[in-house]
Amino acid sequence: MRITIRYEGAPGKGHGHRIRMERLAKVLRQRGADVNIGPANFVEILDTLKRHSQDVLVMDVSFNDNKELEVFRPFVKKLVVMVGVGYSINTETTWIADAVIYQSLASHGFVDRAPGSACMHGGNWLLVDPLSHQMKLPADQLGMIVMSYFGAGFSDDYSDAVETELVRLIGPNVQQTGGADTWMIDWSRRVAQARLVVTSMGMAAYEALAVGTHVVAVSVDEEHAGDAGAVPLIKHAGLWNEVSPEQVAALAAETYDAVLMRPRAPIDAMGVYRLARFLLE
C-alpha cells in the first residue's frame, strides 16, 4: 500500500506535528506499507500524486485549504485530515476527506460533519509515544525534576525567563529543553521521571499526561487556551502575552509543592496503532 504523509514543518517550528507523523510512518512501515513522508508543499504534493497514485494521503497542517484538498482528492483512495489544537477545518472538509482525526482531549471545537464522514477524537486517538505505557511510574513515585519546554510562538527570552524564575523558586532540579532535540532525545522517558512539566500547550503537554506527569501550560493563542482550559488535569497559566514568566513560575512552584500523586489521564498511547489500522483497511 502506498501512503503519503505531509505535515506542517518549517525550520524551528512544527516539531510536535512532525514527530507524531514520523511515529505513524514507522508503524505503517512495520506493517509493510510504502510510506512517503515530508513537510507539506502544495506543488510537491500534487506532483507526487500525479507521478504515483496513492492509496492514502494524510495531511497534518495548520490550515486545511479545501480547494487544495479537492485537487488532491482524485489521486487518492483515502484522504485523512489531522486536526490539531487551533487548526482550521469546516463541514466541507469533512465532506472532502474520508476521515478527520482530532489531536485533542477537549470536547469542544468540533465542526458539523457531513453525512457519512468519519470523525475520531479523544485520548484513544492522540498520537503520543506508543511506548508511554512502559514508562509510567507508580502513582506515588514522584520525581524531583521540573522539565521546561516552549515550542513555536514563544521567544527564547520568555522561556529563559520562566526557567530562571523556576530555578529561583524550586531549586536546581529544573531542566530546560527546546527545538527538535526535545523530541529526538527520549522526551517521553524524561518527562515520565519528572515531577512536573512546564510547557506550551500542545503535544508536549499531552505527552506528559500520557506518562502520568503533572502539567502547567501556557498558551500561544485563544484556541490553545480553550483546549488547555477544557482538560482539568492541566493547570493553565494563561495566554503568554497576558501572563508573565514570573506568574507562570509561581503557579508551577505552587503545583510542584502540592503534587501528591501522579495524574491518571485518559490516554492509553495506542492511538498511533489505531490510526495505522484504519489507514490500512
Side-chain angles (χ1 to χ4, degrees):
M1 179 176 283
R2 291 178 179 271
I3 300 178
T4 292
I5 299 174
R6 291 295 181 265
Y7 54 82
E8 182 89 1
K13 296 179 63 177
H15 303 304
H17 312 299
R18 173 180 58 80
I19 198 64
R20 69 186 178 206
M21 289 298 99
E22 287 182 350
R23 287 170 181 159
L24 177 61
K26 179 180 178 180
V27 171
L28 289 167
R29 286 168 177 154
Q30 289 172 343
R31 284 150 181 76
D34 179 4
V35 182
N36 179 324
I37 181 172
N41 175 280
F42 173 78
V43 174
E44 182 276 330
I45 295 172
L46 184 58
D47 181 61
T48 296
L49 298 180
K50 284 182 174 180
R51 284 188 290 108
H52 302 288
S53 62
Q54 301 290 300
D55 295 295
V56 180
L57 172 62
V58 180
M59 295 293 294
D60 188 353
V61 297
S62 59
F63 180 77
N64 290 282
D65 187 325
N66 290 333
K67 292 182 179 179
E68 292 185 358
L69 295 177
E70 282 183 320
V71 173
F72 300 151
R73 176 73 266 188
F75 299 98
V76 296
K77 297 177 182 177
K78 185 179 289 185
L79 175 59
V80 175
V81 172
M82 308 297 296
V83 186
V85 181
Y87 281 27
S88 173
I89 68 165
N90 56 31
T91 301
E92 185 182 13
T93 312
T94 71
W95 177 257
I96 299 169
D98 294 285
V100 169
I101 317 293
Y102 286 90
Q103 292 298 285
S104 168
L105 277 181
S107 58
H108 69 279
F110 301 146
V111 302
D112 293 331
R113 292 185 289 147
S117 63
C119 172
M120 290 78 155
H121 59 84
N124 286 344
W125 292 93
L126 286 176
L127 304 189
V128 298
D129 189 338
L131 298 179
S132 294
H133 66 284
Q134 299 178 14
M135 303 173 191
K136 291 180 180 178
L137 298 176
D140 59 349
Q141 287 190 20
L142 301 170
M144 299 299 293
I145 295 173
V146 176
M147 296 294 298
S148 173
Y149 168 80
F150 288 88
F154 290 84
S155 68
D156 290 342
D157 289 343
Y158 190 92
S159 58
D160 289 345
V162 171
E163 183 195 19
T164 298
E165 192 65 10
L166 284 172
V167 171
R168 187 183 73 81
L169 294 176
I170 298 175
N173 294 321
V174 176
Q175 297 182 9
Q176 182 186 37
T177 184
D181 287 347
T182 297
W183 304 98
M184 302 312 292
I185 307 177
D186 215 3
W187 168 251
S188 294
R189 189 172 301 280
R190 293 163 70 192
V191 296
Q193 297 170 351
R195 187 184 188 95
L196 178 69
V197 172
V198 183
T199 183
S200 50
M201 184 57 199
M203 281 300 292
Y206 286 139
E207 296 280 350
L209 287 182
V211 294
T213 301
H214 288 266
V215 174
V216 169
V218 185
S219 298
V220 71
D221 54 34
E222 292 286 355
E223 287 79 10
H224 286 77
D227 206 56
V231 182
L233 291 171
I234 296 175
K235 291 276 191 179
H236 187 227
L239 291 168
W240 74 272
N241 58 350
E242 296 177 359
V243 60
S244 69
E246 291 75 18
Q247 290 172 310
V248 175
L251 177 60
E254 177 184 319
T255 304
Y256 183 90
D257 291 337
V259 166
L260 298 176
M261 300 286 284
R262 290 182 171 274
R264 192 177 279 185
I267 304 172
D268 68 1
M270 295 293 107
V272 66
Y273 298 115
R274 290 188 181 90
L275 182 53
R277 185 178 295 277
F278 171 78
L279 297 181
L280 294 171
E281 289 176 346

